[in-house]
């Protein structure tokens, strides 16, 4: 709670009585507003000389105030209390803050709804500005003579494509084996085991290949992008680039998104081939014959299936790149913020890809 304070920062001092530390929600809300209404930054000194001994609940009130002050970058200093009681505040912050409901400040429902609406509007405004800058860096800049950073694009293609190929093909091979074995358990009952080739080829080309590739790329490369950009934000490297009149969207965002949109469809093709290869291995082990299996696969799969999968993979790659870079570039709060941004990037990318896949599948189903 104590840190060096500049003489220029505002100071405020409040003297509290025992009844001010009532842990009920309404009382805590009044105390919270009374304290933080004095100043939004700087130092607030709480004189507890009139409080005397405190219960665990009252220590928890002070612990909650200390956490709120830290979140607001306010230095909350306790004076007029023995050091052992001040140390008890730190312990209470670990032991009793789980009682969130008991200490939650009371706010009118309309006020909470309004604050939530404002936060959502601010998030969408931030997303809109981010997409505007991203489109400028990826699409508009080359049209007005500012070339893409091809060296950065090739670096990202190597990191995402070449380094990511082994895990994509290995997982795809296993998925092909699993699909074939699951299909075999049903199709063999009707003497139609040869249609395992149809099941694997069509499901992989249309759905599984693009989706498996997107999930692996989001977990591996999307997380790395968010962490890398977030670390640069924390180290103030992004601010330094802007100070030197270098656009982070052109030098950092565009190369990553463009590289993903080139590499992910290629990885999807590799995923399709190795998943079909996994089904082929199962078919051969069941005695279906290599020639028969390959011939059946060629008859089942059509160009439209492959093109549908590649179109999906192109959209998935754009979603992964934009979401991961967005989470990385808006990091705040040091190392903890970088970890949170990395998690958000992976979760949001995977959810977005699956949601987009559901929409595309529904559209293709209705139009065919």
């Amino acid at each position: 709670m104590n840190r060096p304070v500049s003489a220029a920062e505002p100071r405020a001092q409040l003297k509290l009585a025992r009844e001010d530390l009532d842990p009920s929600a309404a009382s805590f809300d009044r105390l919270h507003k009374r304290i933080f209404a004095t100043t939004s930054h700087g130092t607030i000194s709480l004189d507890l000389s009139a409080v005397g001994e405190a219960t665990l609940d009252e220590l928890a009130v002070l612990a909650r105030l200390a956490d709120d002050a830290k979140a607001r970058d306010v230095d909350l200093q306790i004076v007029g209390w023995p050091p052992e009681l001040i140390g008890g505040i730190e312990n209470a912050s670990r032991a009793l803050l789980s009682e969130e409901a008991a200490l939650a400040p009371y706010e009118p429902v309309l006020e909470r709804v309004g604050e939530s609406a404002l936060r959502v509007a601010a998030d969408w405004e931030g997303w809109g500005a981010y997409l505007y800058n991203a489109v400028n860096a990826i699409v508009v800049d080359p049209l007005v003579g500012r070339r893409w950073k091809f060296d950065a694009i090739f670096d990202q293609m190597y990191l995402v494509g070449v380094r990511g190929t082994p895990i994509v093909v290995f997982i795809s091979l296993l998925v092909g084996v699993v699909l074939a074995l699951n299909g075999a358990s049903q199709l063999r009952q009707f003497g139609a085991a040869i249609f395992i080739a149809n099941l694997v080829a069509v499901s992989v080309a249309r759905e599984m290949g693009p989706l498996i590739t997107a999930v692996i790329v989001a977990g591996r490369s999307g997380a790395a992008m968010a962490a890398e950009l977030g670390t640069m934000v924390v180290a103030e490297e992004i601010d330094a680039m802007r100070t030197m009149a270098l656009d982070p969207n052109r030098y950092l965002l565009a190369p990553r998104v463009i590289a993903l949109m080139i590499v992910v469809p290629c990885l999807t093709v590799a995923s399709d081939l190795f998943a079909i290869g996994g089904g082929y291995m199962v078919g051969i082990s069941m005695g279906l014959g290599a020639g028969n299996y390959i011939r059946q696969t060629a008859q089942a799969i059509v160009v439209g299936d492959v093109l549908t999968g590649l179109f999906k993979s192109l959209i998935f790659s754009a979603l992964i790149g934009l979401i991961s870079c967005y989470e990385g570039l808006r990091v705040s709060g040091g190392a903890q913020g970088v970890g949170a941004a990395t998690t958000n990037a992976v979760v949001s990318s995977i959810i977005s890809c699956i949601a987009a896949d559901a929409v595309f599948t529904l559209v293709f189903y209705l139009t065919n």
Side-chain angles (χ1 to χ4, degrees):
M1 284 184 287
N2 296 320
R3 64 175 172 80
V5 180
S6 167
E9 290 184 344
R11 290 175 175 271
Q13 182 166 5
L14 294 174
K15 187 168 185 176
L16 301 185
R18 183 71 177 271
E19 53 269 22
D20 292 326
L21 302 182
D22 183 353
S24 66
S27 177
F28 178 81
D29 183 43
R30 287 194 297 273
L31 177 62
H32 190 279
K33 290 180 177 176
R34 179 184 164 196
I35 291 175
F36 294 108
T38 57
T39 180
S40 59
H41 63 286
T43 302
I44 298 177
S45 178
L46 296 183
D47 184 357
L48 302 183
S49 57
V51 173
E53 295 289 334
T55 65
L56 289 177
D57 288 341
E58 291 165 346
L59 288 174
V61 170
L62 293 170
R64 176 64 183 274
L65 290 173
D67 288 349
D68 289 352
K70 186 177 181 181
R72 295 164 179 257
D73 197 24
V74 171
D75 183 27
L76 189 67
Q77 295 183 346
I78 306 295
V79 298
W81 243 24
E84 59 270 19
L85 287 179
I86 296 177
I89 297 174
E90 299 296 331
N91 296 330
S93 67
R94 299 180 185 86
L96 297 179
L97 277 182
S98 59
E99 303 295 336
E100 189 75 20
L103 295 175
Y106 171 75
E107 294 179 1
V109 174
L110 287 178
E111 185 176 331
R112 281 183 287 172
V113 171
E115 289 179 353
S116 299
L118 289 175
R119 281 197 297 271
V120 171
D123 288 343
W124 278 105
E125 182 183 7
W127 251 109
Y130 169 76
L131 288 178
Y132 174 79
N133 293 327
V135 170
N136 272 337
I138 297 171
V139 179
V140 178
D141 279 359
L143 300 178
V144 295
R146 286 193 289 269
R147 296 171 52 188
W148 289 338
K149 305 301 294 182
F150 287 103
D151 51 346
I153 292 174
F154 291 139
D155 288 343
Q156 292 298 321
M157 289 175 64
Y158 173 77
L159 293 174
V160 178
V162 178
R163 301 285 294 273
T165 297
I167 188 172
V168 169
V169 299
F170 178 66
I171 297 297
S172 299
L173 183 70
L174 296 181
V175 168
V177 170
V178 171
L179 277 177
L181 289 174
N182 278 288
S185 65
Q186 297 297 320
L187 294 173
R188 290 179 69 176
Q189 300 178 24
F190 304 101
I194 188 60
F195 290 105
I196 294 172
N198 301 55
L199 172 68
V200 174
V202 174
S203 59
V204 163
R206 285 184 180 177
E207 300 292 341
M208 300 304 294
L211 206 52
I212 292 169
T213 306
V215 170
I216 294 173
V217 169
R220 182 182 175 277
S221 303
M225 289 179 183
E228 185 180 6
L229 294 178
T231 304
M232 294 180 69
V233 171
V234 172
E236 300 182 348
E237 295 179 36
I238 304 293
D239 293 335
M241 291 182 66
R242 291 194 175 100
T243 303
M244 293 185 291
L246 299 176
D247 183 6
N249 296 305
R250 183 180 177 219
Y251 287 86
L252 299 175
L253 166 66
R256 285 165 171 77
V257 176
I258 293 170
L260 281 174
M261 295 182 71
I262 295 172
V263 166
V264 172
C266 299
L267 288 175
T268 300
V269 173
S271 173
D272 292 348
L273 292 175
F274 276 82
I276 291 173
Y280 172 81
M281 291 166 55
V282 173
I284 295 300
S285 67
M286 295 174 58
L288 296 179
N292 288 336
Y293 193 94
I294 294 174
R295 193 161 39 250
Q296 192 69 24
T297 299
Q299 291 175 356
I301 197 168
V302 296
V303 176
D305 296 331
V306 178
L307 294 179
T308 298
L310 292 179
F311 174 74
K312 288 181 178 179
S313 69
L314 190 66
I315 301 301
F316 294 165
S317 62
L319 289 173
I320 294 169
L322 291 171
I323 292 173
S324 300
C325 292
Y326 175 73
E327 295 291 345
L329 289 173
R330 69 168 193 157
V331 161
S332 62
Q336 187 177 5
V338 174
T342 304
T343 303
N344 290 338
V346 174
V347 173
S348 300
S349 297
I350 292 176
I351 291 176
S352 300
C353 290
I354 293 175
D357 185 51
V359 172
F360 290 140
T361 302
L362 178 63
V363 171
F364 294 147
Y365 173 78
L366 294 176
T367 54
N368 290 323

